[in-house]
Amino acid sequence: MSHTLNVLPDVIQHAAGLSRFLQRMLDSRPWLAGDLAASIDHALGADAMRTFIADKGADEARLRPTLRQLRTWVICHLIVRDLAGRANLSEVTETMTVLTEVAVRHAHDVLREAMIQRYGQPLSTTGWEQELLIIGMGKLGGRELNVSSDIDLIFVYPDDGDTGGKKVISNFEFFERLGKQLIQSLAEVTEHGQVFRVDMRLRPNGDSGPLVCSFDMLENYFITQGREWERYAWIKARVLTGERWRELEQIARPFVFRKYLDFGAINAMRDLHAQIRREVARRDRANNIKLGPGGIREIEFIAQVFQLIRGGRDAALQIRPTLQVLARLAERGILSSEAVSALSAAYDFLRRLEHRLQYLDDAQTHDLPDAPADQALIARAMSFADYVSLLAELDRHRAVVSHHFDAVFADPNEEQHSLDAIWASAEDTEQAAPHLAELGFGDPVAAAARLASIRASARYQQLPNHIRSRFDALMPRVVEAAASTAGPDETLSRCLDLLEGISRRGAYLALLQQYPQALRRVVDLVAASRWAAQYLGRHPILLDELLDGRNLEAAPDWQRLRTELAAELDAIEPDMERQMDLMREQHHAQSFRLLTQDIAGLLTVEKLADHLSALADIMVALTIPLCWRKIKIRHRDDPKFAVISYGKLGGKELGYASDLDIVFLYDDAAPESAEVYTRLAQRTNTWLSSQTAAGILFETDLRLRPNGDSGLIACSLEAFRKYQLESAWVWEHQALTRARFSAGDPALGEAFERIRCEVLRLPRKLDSLRAEVLAMRDKMRSAHGGKSPLFDLKHDHGGLIDVEFLIQYLVLGYASKHPELTGNLGNIALLKMAAGLGLIPAELAEACGDSYRQMRHLQHRQRLNGQASRVAPEEAATARQPVQALWSLVFGTH
């Protein structure tokens, strides 16, 4: 131990005993001991580093020695604090990152100024000053730099042009020279050491590419030559210098983060990791804690593969630090909280061990030492009694990492499948059919013919090789899964329809290939419902919903959905296309979760309708402010505007594919109101009903507005009241019994409800009312009923519409005497209320309510099977009887 150590604090002496590098620095740099002793009680920040540079000399002549002295001070400072337990991992990596930022920016500013003195400012062809954007990659970009790391940089500038000085050179040449000088200022080894080794191999075309490139060159490279591993590298890219970083992000983001769910990234990163594993094995570096099994790189890969898969659709995953990414994966249920906790603990352990390996000699190493003396030092530095104990803990963490890595990246299709031969020889139907018969297919010849037609089809033959290999891996597993269902022939047919529909979308095939549990759920779902199979075919992005069973079982939290979706929509304002797609994606996802719960028997038809109606209300409510913002001339911040729902949505009986019967009202005295709210109504309707890349939200029907198709699309509240009281037909008042405020201004909603009650409670002559209701029912029945020998659950006599007409008649006929009948309580509740008021027999009312419920269940079953709402007459005979009996009692006619 040197003489200098005798006067130093114990923490410095302790650290010097565990770091030969620190010992050498203290022995060779007399200034260091005092600087350490004065600063060791607190973390170092950018201000302290800039002050150090200013004190030592900040000009070009002192650039190299000053930056090297700065690095020595900062790293020795970290070694002492870390080994004394005063600095956690976050402080170490953040301090190293700040050191790099300060050093790079200072070197850039000093060298750029000298270049400008010589050549003038670099300018675009239109005269705008140009800048060098220095991009930090890897751990520097992620603010996770280790203490002896080299730094990965990329140099980019915005626009081509020339300098504006007496000696003119191109912008490319200016920035190339600046870049070379910057690298030399940091990487050159002098008597003061080195600041950082600089690695430029991540730039476009690597070592064979130019040192700097313009925005246009970079964008063209991404489009034409960018490779999968470069997407992985660019996840952590972060601009260290330059004001035009947002433009650069806009160029890089579409390359890194796909708009769709990119499950193909798993295969690409599995291949990349296999290359790393082969290189580790070739060099016999299994004890490398970064690249070896269960090492740091595997944790990073786990985090980053999900960023590549989902980051394009979930901007919150477009972040850089590994631990933060893992935490967000847990929040989203993509990884379990237990897995993330274990991976985070392993990451902390491995990174701290990595630093202690590097503290020995300031070497960029990740290999465990062979020398017993060094092993003892590392064990002490990690607070273990001996090296054996350290290795035991290391092995435990590495085993955990390997387990979770394999869970994510293991190829479930590596082993051959027992049914591979059926698919491989599918065009030989005579050979395939007996095997399919053994599996339990009722019509094996037809099943074999279908497989043969797919195998021989031009669509299959023209698939790119990597997509066809995924398709080939899936087919035997689909056949096997379909064979295990109650109706294997129909299930296989539906599955094959779905696979053919998505066969060109390699990411979806990769999802089903990678996650057998998702494939199993798909097969079970399409076996249970033809409509579900068709819905998945229209919206294959919903396959992602099948990965996490918790999503499929959790009860909806509609308030949370509304709050979170509103925040997401606000965050991407004013991107209308993305907003419309996002709403559709969320609506489809939520509907699909309800569908899976419905098929699993977790929801009654009534509860399902309540959920679908609540979801629709949310979508309509979120649409109004988005459309309002996009009207250029607005006379107020919040519109006095409301959406009134009728029919299925009004009665909270919405089905999966129900239309929305809606009316737009406003209540605003401003002279421009009619024009402004007409525009808002048109935009709202277009927003809801337009087909986009993500599909459609709802079909809408506006014909229930005053004067129907010939009426104004938006109606003032006053005009609506006047129309209802003076001009509306009886059938329009019938429709009003199931109307309610769905979205918009609550005060306007309350005003509408007062008008609704006022209209429904008007005194009416029962004879004339009965005649009008019967005339309308006859008109509807002649248009829809009696078209088939089957019983139409909706339109035929004794069906659902008869129940609705009965209730509407009772409300309109008796609400003047019994105001409680105007409550929008649902048909079954209103039947009970009418019985309680003595308007109909209680026993018959209860039987009618049961019939209504039963027919809705039958109707729902038919829709799930993709069939019309018609059943064999005997299946509905019992349910029809009380409805027909009550109809005869109330209307005196059959």
Side-chain angles (χ1 to χ4, degrees), residues 721-735:
R721 179 177 181 274
K722 180 178 175 64
Y723 177 83
Q724 291 292 341
L725 291 173
E726 299 178 7
S727 306
W729 296 83
V730 169
W731 66 263
E732 291 178 284
H733 288 175
Q734 287 180 245

Side-chain angles (χ1 to χ4, degrees), residues 166 187 241 251 258 260 419 581 587-588 605 707 749 854:
K166 291 182 179 180
T241 67
I251 293 170
R258 304 292 194 243
Y260 52 82
L419 301 183
D581 282 348
H587 182 261
H588 297 153
V605 172
N707 294 306
Q854 183 183 346

Side-chain angles (χ1 to χ4, degrees), residues 419-430:
L419 301 183
D420 281 345
I422 289 182
W423 173 242
S425 59
E427 291 176 75
D428 185 350
T429 55
E430 291 185 6

Side-chain angles (χ1 to χ4, degrees), residues 113-413:
E113 186 57 36
M115 288 277 292
I116 289 173
Q117 293 299 322
R118 201 169 302 131
Y119 302 109
Q121 292 276 11
L123 303 171
S124 69
T125 54
T126 54
W128 288 93
E129 181 182 335
Q130 298 300 294
E131 59 185 358
L132 181 66
L133 284 83
I134 301 174
I135 305 168
M137 306 290 285
K139 286 188 167 61
L140 170 58
R143 308 196 75 86
E144 301 166 317
L145 207 60
N146 61 51
V147 291
S148 297
S149 179
D150 54 8
I151 58 173
D152 296 291
L153 301 178
I154 294 176
F155 298 148
V156 182
Y157 62 94
D159 302 311
D160 284 316
D162 298 309
T163 59
K166 291 182 179 180
K167 185 176 181 181
V168 176
I169 60 174
S170 69
N171 289 352
F172 174 85
E173 189 176 358
F174 180 95
F175 291 121
E176 184 181 47
R177 292 185 185 184
L178 176 57
K180 287 179 178 177
Q181 291 178 25
L182 178 63
I183 293 169
Q184 191 176 32
S185 71
L186 297 172
E188 183 184 24
V189 180
T190 73
E191 69 272 20
H192 299 286
Q194 184 183 46
V195 190
F196 297 107
R197 291 173 297 277
V198 179
D199 191 335
M200 300 296 297
R201 289 175 296 175
L202 291 178
R203 70 185 188 269
N205 292 308
D207 285 340
S208 63
L211 187 66
V212 298
C213 66
S214 67
F215 281 0
D216 284 346
M217 291 169 62
L218 181 65
E219 185 169 25
N220 183 62
Y221 177 82
F222 283 154
I223 293 170
T224 61
Q225 299 180 60
R227 288 157 290 184
E228 204 70 24
W229 69 262
E230 290 177 291
R231 291 179 60 206
Y232 157 74
W234 273 81
I235 288 177
K236 289 188 181 292
R238 181 171 60 88
V239 175
L240 308 181
T241 67
E243 297 297 320
R244 294 174 65 175
W245 56 273
R246 289 191 185 277
E247 295 172 61
L248 181 63
E249 283 191 346
Q250 288 173 355
I251 293 170
R253 188 177 291 116
F255 169 66
V256 179
F257 299 109
R258 304 292 194 243
K259 283 188 175 181
Y260 52 82
L261 286 165
D262 185 17
F263 281 91
I266 290 182
N267 290 334
M269 291 188 73
R270 185 191 292 121
D271 292 343
L272 177 59
H273 182 260
Q275 292 175 23
I276 294 172
R277 279 267 175 99
R278 286 193 294 270
E279 185 69 9
V280 167
R282 187 178 68 81
R283 295 187 180 186
D284 192 23
R285 297 177 67 185
N287 279 332
N288 186 294
I289 64 167
K290 177 181 179 182
L291 302 179
I296 296 166
R297 181 56 52 85
E298 290 190 355
I299 301 174
E300 294 171 338
F301 269 37
I302 291 170
Q304 289 168 327
V305 73
F306 289 112
Q307 289 184 279
L308 289 180
I309 291 170
R310 300 173 182 279
R313 306 194 77 84
D314 186 350
L317 291 176
Q318 295 178 14
I319 57 175
R320 301 178 184 91
T322 301
L323 292 177
Q324 290 183 30
V325 176
L326 289 173
R328 293 195 181 180
L329 294 176
E331 290 171 7
R332 284 153 175 73
I334 297 168
L335 292 177
S336 69
S337 57
E338 294 79 12
V340 167
S341 178
L343 289 169
S344 299
Y347 184 82
D348 182 85
F349 181 89
L350 290 167
R351 291 300 310 273
R352 289 190 298 108
L353 177 56
E354 169 191 47
H355 290 151
R356 280 147 183 78
L357 293 173
Q358 295 171 358
Y359 291 158
L360 285 176
D361 294 299
D362 189 25
Q364 171 68 337
T365 182
H366 299 88
D367 294 321
L368 296 172
D370 295 323
D374 287 352
Q375 292 175 348
L377 284 175
I378 294 301
R380 282 176 53 206
M382 288 292 289
S383 302
F384 283 89
D386 51 47
Y387 192 62
V388 172
S389 302
L390 168 64
L391 285 183
E393 182 68 0
L394 172 62
D395 288 344
R396 186 183 70 79
H397 282 298
R398 292 177 73 169
V400 167
V401 173
S402 291
H403 167 74
H404 290 295
F405 182 87
D406 289 340
V408 173
F409 285 97
D411 187 349
N413 305 305

